[in-house]
Amino acid sequence: MEKFFSQSQEYLPFLLQGVSYTILVMMCAFALATGLGLILAFMRVSGIVPLAWVARTVIVVVRGIPGLVTLYYIYFVFPDFGVALTAVQAAIIGLGIAYSPYMAEVFRAGIEAIDRGQTEAALSIGMHWGLVMRRVVLPQAVRVALPPYGSTMVMLLKDSSLASTITVAELSLQGKLLASSTFENTTVFTLVALIYLAMSLPLTAFNAWLERKLRRS
């Protein structure tokens, strides 16, 4: 244990260099996944058959492709079509696309959990569809969607480690480099796991706090 603590003081500064990239990739990919997920969810519940069919097809196809393959395709294949992206940009776009179907299903489940009678009543008094969504459906759907939405954020934080496969110098890649140079696998990867845990716990706590606040309101 004494050896672990002494090595931790030496290795932590190097590992923490990758945390900024981990947070950057996670936050930007999460924002992209949220935006794409909302668009797909609205298409699914719009009642317009072609839009619903397109959204359903996109969700099935993207969800059936591993996120790692999506990253490889964007980073290694897109340049063949004249679209060259940096590793960080490819990681953000790839993870955002890979997680958008899950976000779409979270939002769709929240929207469809609201009693249809409320929507029909709002439409009957002259509200258009967008106004019904903004004032009647979404405020209630947020309460339903929030727990899985927060869980998806934590999952994306952990899956940001996939960015290391396309040379993004985030936490897990820093850990691999450090372990390969020091051969102290136990210490290095224990620290990596603890750092991921330290980043995940505040997100989980914030999500729980927000759930309680919304429940009271």
Side-chain angles (χ1 to χ4, degrees):
M1 186 61 69
E2 183 178 347
K3 178 184 176 183
F4 173 80
F5 284 116
S6 64
Q7 290 177 336
S8 298
Q9 295 177 8
E10 180 183 354
Y11 298 159
L12 266 177
F14 182 80
L15 293 175
L16 291 177
Q17 292 176 18
V19 171
S20 59
Y21 279 107
T22 295
I23 294 174
L24 173 65
V25 169
M26 186 272 289
M27 295 300 293
C28 293
F30 190 74
L32 179 59
T34 298
L36 294 176
L38 277 172
I39 293 171
L40 291 171
F42 285 147
M43 291 170 67
R44 285 289 305 271
V45 302
S46 65
I48 303 172
V49 175
L51 289 180
W53 183 86
V54 169
R56 190 180 301 111
T57 301
V58 170
I59 289 171
V60 170
V61 170
V62 176
R63 194 162 52 181
I65 299 174
L68 184 59
V69 176
T70 303
L71 290 182
Y72 284 165
Y73 200 90
I74 292 174
Y75 188 60
F76 295 114
V77 178
F78 273 25
D80 294 341
F81 298 97
V83 182
L85 300 172
T86 66
V88 173
Q89 291 170 337
I92 291 170
I93 294 172
L95 288 172
I97 291 174
Y99 268 80
S100 61
Y102 303 100
M103 291 295 194
E105 292 300 277
V106 167
F107 297 141
R108 183 182 65 84
I111 291 170
E112 292 184 345
I114 307 306
D115 185 3
R116 188 176 295 273
Q118 296 186 39
T119 302
E120 294 173 352
L123 291 171
S124 68
I125 62 174
M127 287 187 178
H128 57 79
W129 189 83
L131 190 61
V132 172
M133 281 289 162
R134 190 169 71 251
R135 292 191 176 180
V136 179
V137 177
L138 289 181
Q140 301 178 77
V142 166
R143 292 179 172 85
V144 178
L146 190 61
Y149 183 73
S151 297
T152 304
M153 180 186 290
V154 176
M155 289 170 57
L156 182 52
L157 171 65
K158 294 183 292 184
D159 280 352
S160 65
S161 60
L162 294 176
S164 66
T165 61
I166 55 172
T167 71
V168 177
E170 47 72 67
L171 176 58
S172 62
L173 181 57
Q174 295 289 84
K176 292 176 186 176
L177 294 174
L178 184 60
S180 64
S181 63
T182 63
F183 301 102
E184 295 290 348
N185 295 317
T186 301
T187 300
V188 171
F189 289 114
T190 298
L191 288 173
V192 170
L194 290 174
I195 293 172
Y196 273 114
L197 181 62
M199 290 190 290
S200 300
L201 289 178
L203 293 177
T204 304
F206 175 74
N207 189 53
W209 172 81
L210 197 55
E211 282 185 59
R212 292 193 299 269
K213 186 174 182 179
L214 289 174
R215 194 179 300 119
R216 288 197 299 268
S217 63

